[in-house]
């Protein structure tokens, strides 16, 4: 009976709170956060934290929703390409009423949307030009762009832009470059997560060598940029400039970490380790997080081009990509935060570039973001790099070729809201790469003939 009275008192108190003017008004949205104990540091961007028992949730102001009250549901225009638009317009340009998003779309792309995507509001899913929705036209379900004006703010930051003083790219030789090309026949990607190595043939797996040849421990990812050179993150080499090359080996063409396929894989010892001289982690943000590994040739030959081993192109020195551009990341890291083991298989994800001023905002990473790095993630925070993916590639398609624009560097947790992945901006280091690899790396000459 005492427990029933206590429950009645608590219920009455909560109902009273919900009806007080200073408390939670009926129009406000209440989203519980996934915390097992009371927290005083809950971030509510447009609302106030409220605790009840062991639960803490954000009480959002009118016009806002989401776990952190970060979703502006009253937005009347969209910024950039509208990937973060969360307004309530539900009409296409032709005046047709939008259909409710289907269950599969909600599950895969709209987990953190308003009402978890259970609505018919316009959204920019699947990397279109601007917000759109499904409508019925001529008795068929089709896609149409929505009747939403642009805010006139195209936050096209230069996350991948090099300084004006950057040296011009090496003159392209007469021979056609073979970098950045996937084999025509690719294995199908299962569920958009597990990827065949043929989809990312430039992927390199970096191992620590044990005392015996068979004792190798996977450590980081990397990207093959020429037959004898792999680009990776400097923080993957914990001994820094003192890292001995003989402690490392690299395997190319690897589908699964704990399996060996001699028909696809090529393994090399590392001959030389070159870390950027200004690599610095004194602020905890891995500034200038880039390093080169020279592969040790076997009988005068390093990597040989095949269906599972190819080089990725380095992007043009001054090439900038628009905010919202969709790019790919790949790696053998953890499938989700908190797991003690890495993925058995190579996995991939699609992420979108964020504006520099957004990622360096205090709600994201603040002044930890330097001009040598940029951020990328999914609008619903559903896909991200994780521990074990460090050093791996972020690639984007430019001029029908795949170019390496980023190196997986750091981030707070995995797939956390407002904590996107942070990547080293490769175009900032074109000259440094060229100076260190000049003997074997020139544009278009990535494999010996």
């Amino acid at each position: 009976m005492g427990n029933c009275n206590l429950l009645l008192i608590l219920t009455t108190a909560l109902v009273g709170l919900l009806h007080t003017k200073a408390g939670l008004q009926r129009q406000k949205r209440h989203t519980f956060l996934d915390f097992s104990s009371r927290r005083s540091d809950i971030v509510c961007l447009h609302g106030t934290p409220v605790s009840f028992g062991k639960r803490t949730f954000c009480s959002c102001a009118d016009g806002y929703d989401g776990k952190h009250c970060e979703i502006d549901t009253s937005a009347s225009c969209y910024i950039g390409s509208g990937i973060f638009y969360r307004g309530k317009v539900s009409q296409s340009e032709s005046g047709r009423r939008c259909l409710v998003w289907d269950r599969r779309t909600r599950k895969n792309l709209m987990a953190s949307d308003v009402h978890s995507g259970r609505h018919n509001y316009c959204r920019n899913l699947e990397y279109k030009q601007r917000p759109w929705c499904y409508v019925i036209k001529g008795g068929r379900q089709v896609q149409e762009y929505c009747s939403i004006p642009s805010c006139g703010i195209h936050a096209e930051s230069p996350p991948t832009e090099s300084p004006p003083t950057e040296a011009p790219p090496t003159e392209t030789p007469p021979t056609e470059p073979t970098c950045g090309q996937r084999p025509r026949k690719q294995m199908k990607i299962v569920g958009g997560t597990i990827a065949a190595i043929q989809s990312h043939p430039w992927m390199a797996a970096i191992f620590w060598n044990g005392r015996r040849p068979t004792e190798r421990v996977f450590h980081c990812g990397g990207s093959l940029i020429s037959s004898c050179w792999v680009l990776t993150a400097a923080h993957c080499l914990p001994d820094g400039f003192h890292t001995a090359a003989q402690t490392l080996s690299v395997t190319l063409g690897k589908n699964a970490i704990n399996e060996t396929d001699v028909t696809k894989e090529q393994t090399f010892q590392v001959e030389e380790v070159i870390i950027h001289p200004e690599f610095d982690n004194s602020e905890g943000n891995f500034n200038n997080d880039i390093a080169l590994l020279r592969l040790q040739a076997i009988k005068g030959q390093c990597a040989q081009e095949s269906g599972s081993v190819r080089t990725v192109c380095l992007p043009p020195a001054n090439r900038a990509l628009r905010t919202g551009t969709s790019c790919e990341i790949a790696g053998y890291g953890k499938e989700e935060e908190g797991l003690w083991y890495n993925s058995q298989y190579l996995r991939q994800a699609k992420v979108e570039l964020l504006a520099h001023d957004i990622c360096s905002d205090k709600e994201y990473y603040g002044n930890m973001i330097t001009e040598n790095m940029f951020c990328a993630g999914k609008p619903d925070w559903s896909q991200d790099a994780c521990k074990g993916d460090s050093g791996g590639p972020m690639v984007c398609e430019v001029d029908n070729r795949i170019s390496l624009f980023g190196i997986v560097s750091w981030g707070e947790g995995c797939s956390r809201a407002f904590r996107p992945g942070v990547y080293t901006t490769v175009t900032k280091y074109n000259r440094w790469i060229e100076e260190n690899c000049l003997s074997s790396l020139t544009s278009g000459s990535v494999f010996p003939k």
Side-chain angles (χ1 to χ4, degrees):
M1 183 65 71
N3 290 338
C4 291
N5 290 335
L6 177 59
L7 179 61
L8 179 59
I9 292 172
L10 290 175
T11 303
T12 302
L14 179 60
V15 172
L17 176 62
L18 290 171
H19 285 82
T20 59
K21 185 174 181 180
L24 311 181
Q25 298 179 13
R26 180 175 299 176
Q27 293 88 345
K28 298 180 182 179
R29 305 296 305 174
H30 321 301
T31 307
F32 282 94
L33 299 181
D34 189 18
F35 292 101
S36 59
S37 61
R38 187 186 299 265
R39 294 258 314 255
S40 60
D41 58 345
I42 302 301
V43 177
C44 299
L45 300 181
H46 301 282
T48 56
V50 176
S51 296
F52 180 67
K54 293 185 177 181
R55 290 276 190 172
T56 300
F57 62 93
C58 286
S59 169
C60 301
D62 292 347
Y64 292 92
D65 208 323
K67 290 184 178 181
H68 302 273
C69 304
E70 76 279 13
I71 299 175
D72 182 2
T73 60
S74 62
S76 58
C77 59
Y78 66 88
I79 297 175
S81 61
I83 59 175
F84 297 112
Y85 172 78
R86 293 297 181 271
K88 293 186 176 181
V89 173
S90 57
Q91 181 175 294
S92 72
E93 286 182 327
S94 65
R96 290 177 171 84
R97 183 174 178 79
C98 296
L99 299 178
V100 174
W101 295 102
D102 61 90
R103 182 177 180 182
R104 182 175 177 273
T105 301
R106 296 199 306 265
K107 180 180 179 181
N108 294 336
L109 301 173
M110 305 175 72
S112 65
D113 205 313
V114 180
H115 310 311
S116 299
R118 293 180 179 86
H119 56 68
N120 67 334
Y121 306 143
C122 300
R123 296 290 183 262
N124 187 358
L125 308 178
E126 300 176 345
Y127 326 113
K128 306 294 183 182
Q129 293 180 359
R130 58 187 189 274
W132 58 277
C133 69
Y134 288 111
V135 299
I136 297 298
K137 185 176 182 180
R140 297 174 55 239
Q141 178 176 297
V142 298
Q143 295 180 5
E144 280 195 0
Y145 287 115
C146 289
S147 181
I148 309 173
S150 169
C151 297
I153 305 174
H154 296 279
E156 298 177 8
S157 68
T160 55
E161 186 178 9
S162 299
T165 56
E166 182 68 79
T170 306
E171 188 175 40
T172 303
T175 56
E176 179 70 15
T178 61
C179 66
Q181 293 181 328
R182 291 180 167 123
R184 291 184 179 180
K185 295 182 180 179
Q186 298 182 40
M187 293 177 62
K188 185 178 179 181
I189 298 168
V190 181
T193 53
I194 297 178
I197 190 61
Q198 289 90 336
S199 300
H200 302 271
W202 38 81
M203 186 74 204
I206 302 172
F207 292 83
W208 289 115
N209 296 331
R211 294 183 178 179
R212 286 183 267 179
T214 56
E215 294 178 344
R216 299 200 310 156
V217 178
F218 173 74
H219 185 60
C220 269
S223 303
L224 186 69
I225 59 173
S226 82
S227 63
C228 290
W229 289 95
V230 167
L231 197 64
T232 187
H235 82 263
C236 285
L237 309 167
D239 295 331
F241 298 96
H242 304 290
T243 300
Q246 61 266 26
T247 63
L248 302 172
S249 60
V250 172
T251 296
L252 309 169
K254 197 166 189 62
N255 263 318
I257 287 298
N258 297 327
E259 298 175 5
T260 299
D261 186 344
V262 295
T263 65
K264 293 185 176 68
E265 296 178 14
Q266 300 177 34
T267 298
F268 301 89
Q269 298 302 309
V270 175
E271 181 178 346
E272 184 180 6
V273 175
I274 305 175
I275 296 177
H276 195 279
E278 296 181 20
F279 170 62
D280 178 25
N281 192 36
S282 60
E283 301 295 328
N285 62 348
F286 295 139
N287 198 23
N288 297 299
D289 193 15
I290 188 170
L292 284 160
L293 304 180
R294 183 202 291 266
L295 306 182
Q296 190 174 81
I298 301 175
K299 296 181 180 181
Q301 175 73 61
C302 294
Q304 299 183 54
E305 184 173 0
S306 69
S308 55
V309 176
R310 298 192 177 197
T311 56
V312 65
C313 298
L314 291 178
N318 294 302
R319 187 59 177 261
L321 296 180
R322 293 168 59 95
T323 296
T325 297
S326 176
C327 298
E328 297 177 7
I329 54 177
Y332 307 95
K334 300 182 187 301
E335 296 178 27
E336 61 182 77
E337 185 177 350
L339 294 179
W340 60 270
Y341 55 88
N342 287 340
S343 173
Q344 164 71 9
Y345 299 98
L346 176 65
R347 303 179 75 87
Q348 73 166 14
K350 284 190 175 183
V351 291
E352 299 166 8
L353 304 186
L354 271 69
H356 191 275
D357 58 347
I358 290 178
C359 197
S360 58
D361 187 87
K362 63 181 181 180
E363 295 173 1
Y364 286 73
Y365 289 120
N367 57 13
M368 294 182 70
I369 302 300
T370 72
E371 293 299 321
N372 301 318
M373 55 189 78
F374 65 94
C375 298
K378 295 289 287 185
D380 63 357
W381 313 106
S382 61
Q383 297 186 41
D384 190 13
C386 202
K387 188 174 182 181
D389 292 323
S390 291
M394 168 190 268
V395 297
C396 314
E397 186 171 349
V398 175
D399 299 328
N400 298 317
R401 290 188 183 276
I402 305 299
S403 294
L404 181 68
F405 277 88
I407 300 172
V408 178
S409 183
W410 62 277
E412 186 177 322
C414 310
S415 296
R416 293 187 187 180
F418 305 103
R419 296 296 182 267
V422 183
Y423 301 83
T424 305
T425 307
V426 173
T427 52
K428 295 287 186 180
Y429 304 93
N430 282 23
R431 180 182 296 173
W432 179 79
I433 294 171
E434 188 173 319
E435 288 173 350
N436 285 281
C437 304
L438 191 60
S439 59
S440 62
L441 175 61
T442 57
S443 177
S445 179
V446 291
F447 283 104
K449 299 299 182 183

